[in-house]
Amino acid sequence: AAVTQAVPNMLEIVPEGVNKWVGAQVLLQHLGLPADSFMAVGDGGNDLELVANAGLGVAMGNAVDKVKAAAKAVVASNDEHGIAEAFEKFVL
């Protein structure tokens, strides 16, 4: 099993090799889309693989340092409407 934390007071235990990126790959394959067409936005440790491997990985301003380091861009925090900023900058 693998152990990760999204936020300090939450612990996630999942089967080894299972993470959000693995799920996203299944969805992308099902839709026939390449990974480089995919934007992922995250902030917690459980988002690391997703942000690191997406075509455009975006970290929220309040993200843990590992997620920020893996991201291609950093936007405002979730309290400062960072998700809207990511969509306005990179999707619309």
Side-chain angles (χ1 to χ4, degrees), residues 35-92:
D36 64 358
S37 69
F38 181 70
M39 179 179 81
V41 183
D43 59 356
N46 63 343
D47 298 317
L48 179 60
E49 293 88 356
L50 184 67
V51 170
N53 291 291
L56 176 59
V58 180
M60 301 293 289
N62 58 293
V64 297
D65 289 340
K66 286 182 180 181
V67 173
K68 285 182 179 177
K72 294 181 178 77
V74 178
V75 294
S77 74
N78 55 356
D79 290 332
E80 299 167 324
H81 310 290
I83 191 71
E85 179 185 343
F87 275 86
E88 287 171 358
K89 276 186 170 180
F90 304 117
V91 178
L92 300 179

Side-chain angles (χ1 to χ4, degrees), residues 9-43:
N9 63 348
M10 185 176 79
L11 187 67
E12 295 180 13
I13 301 171
V14 297
E16 192 68 42
V18 174
N19 58 60
K20 291 181 181 183
W21 175 240
V22 172
Q25 285 180 299
V26 171
L27 177 62
L28 289 168
Q29 183 177 12
H30 176 75
L31 297 173
L33 297 172
D36 64 358
S37 69
F38 181 70
M39 179 179 81
V41 183
D43 59 356

